[in-house]
Amino acid sequence: MLRVDTIDHRIISCLMANARSSYADIGNVVGLSAPAVKRRVDKLLDTGVLRGFTAVVDPEQLGWGTEAFVEVHCRGNVSPSDIQNRLEPMAEVMAAYTVSGAADAIVHLRAASIHHLETALERLRAVEIIDRTVSTVVLSRLLDRPPAP
Amino acid sequence: MLRVDTIDHRIISCLMANARSSYADIGNVVGLSAPAVKRRVDKLLDTGVLRGFTAVVDPEQLGWGTEAFVEVHCRGNVSPSDIQNRLEPMAEVMAAYTVSGAADAIVHLRAASIHHLETALERLRAVEIIDRTVSTVVLSRLLDRPPAP
DNA sequence: GGTGAAAGTGCCACCAC
DNA sequence: GTGGTGGCACTTTCACC
């Protein structure tokens, strides 16, 4: 793990605001030349601080407007990597976390419709290591921010 | 609201995989020339299907590795926009949703440490419209995917 | 970390369908 | 309305200082 200084943070902020901005533009903001910015970005990508660049889409307009959070309770003792391997092939799984408290994991599902969500939940519950699930359907997205600097 | 055809979807997929790929590269994948791709991307941005381009960072390595999901229960009847206005100024709020079930909202918090998370939770509970909260601390991130095509 | 030059890209006007 | 072409400015990317 390496040191990420103030200039790196400002470069990351620029790229989070607009991942397609040019190295020259970023350089004007942070006070560096374009090649210097590129060298820092390449290093941040190499070390994994920056994982990549992606487009932010409106799931609603693409027809993936139905979301739910699912508490997953497993039978017996299950390792996090077990759960991870089971969830990875499911396209509807946006994110998953092991958590404190009664549940073993929280799974963030996104689907095209309530019906699609239902089938995804059925497939989730069919996983043998999963004992039971408690799902909470999202009614509206109040806030959705990209990660902070 | 406009029509988003198959080619648009494939362009969006390319940009989600790498928001910094060139229009020519995308064109090679979807079978269009670079200017044709740019025109479609510009239109998708105009209409809001594409909201922008952002860098994907590893929160762990940036020192924002502590996460929690918080069920928020409000007193009386509170409108979603009320909750939204209260949460918007909090930097630790990554996302928030109104949900079905007993809770009024689910708030996704991200903080630099357990102590930072604690102070964020205190500020959340200090909001007068909020009656009580039930928080679930994330132990590990099993999966974290950018939105699907 | 900056500079300069070569290769690649973005972006626009214009044309064809 | 769609998509393709050509040309010029800008960007990326390298070696070198």
Side-chain angles (χ1 to χ4, degrees), chain A residues 1-74:
Chain A
M1 204 169 282
L2 86 158
R3 37 179 279 82
V4 179
D5 66 13
T6 313
I7 295 179
D8 288 327
H9 275 103
R10 293 171 65 198
I11 291 173
I12 292 168
S13 296
C14 288
L15 286 169
M16 288 198 310
N18 179 13
R20 283 184 79 83
S21 58
S22 73
Y23 293 130
D25 284 347
I26 300 169
N28 283 335
V29 173
V30 305
L32 250 54
S33 68
V37 173
K38 183 195 174 341
R39 280 195 286 258
R40 278 170 179 263
V41 172
D42 285 346
K43 189 182 286 180
L44 289 168
L45 286 167
D46 266 1
T47 55
V49 177
L50 276 174
R51 295 206 302 221
F53 307 100
T54 188
V56 183
V57 302
D58 185 346
E60 209 86 31
Q61 295 210 45
L62 275 174
W64 282 70
T66 311
E67 287 181 71
F69 289 96
V70 184
E71 285 183 25
V72 171
H73 300 253
C74 296

Side-chain angles (χ1 to χ4, degrees), chain A residues 16 19-21 47 49 51-54 56 58 88 90 93-96 98 100 137 139-140 142-143 145, chain B residues 16 19-21 47 49 51-54 56 58 61 88 90 93-94 96-98 100 137 139-140 142-143 145:
Chain A
M16 288 198 310
R20 283 184 79 83
S21 58
T47 55
V49 177
R51 295 206 302 221
F53 307 100
T54 188
V56 183
D58 185 346
E88 209 284 321
M90 291 189 59
V93 175
M94 298 295 303
T98 55
S100 69
V137 176
L139 299 177
S140 71
L142 296 172
L143 224 68
R145 268 203 273 260
Chain B
M16 290 199 308
R20 285 183 78 83
S21 57
T47 54
V49 177
R51 294 205 300 222
F53 307 99
T54 189
V56 182
D58 185 347
Q61 296 209 45
E88 210 281 324
M90 292 189 57
V93 175
M94 298 295 303
Y97 314 86
T98 56
S100 67
V137 176
L139 300 178
S140 71
L142 297 172
L143 226 70
R145 269 203 274 258

Side-chain angles (χ1 to χ4, degrees), chain A residues 72-86:
Chain A
V72 171
H73 300 253
C74 296
R75 11 179 154 270
N77 281 341
V78 178
S79 75
S81 59
D82 273 348
I83 308 177
Q84 186 177 351
N85 291 336
R86 300 298 189 151

Side-chain angles (χ1 to χ4, degrees), chain B residues 19-35:
Chain B
R20 285 183 78 83
S21 57
S22 71
Y23 293 128
D25 283 348
I26 300 169
N28 282 335
V29 173
V30 306
L32 250 54
S33 70

Side-chain angles (χ1 to χ4, degrees), chain A residues 93-136:
Chain A
V93 175
M94 298 295 303
Y97 313 87
T98 55
V99 293
S100 69
D104 291 301
I106 287 182
V107 175
H108 185 182
L109 289 181
R110 183 167 286 170
S113 63
I114 286 284
H115 178 250
H116 180 190
L117 188 66
E118 190 181 12
T119 68
L121 271 167
E122 277 167 18
R123 268 178 289 137
L124 192 65
R125 278 195 283 258
V127 174
E128 60 260 42
I129 60 171
I130 294 179
D131 181 21
R132 67 197 179 83
T133 61
V134 179
S135 36
T136 304

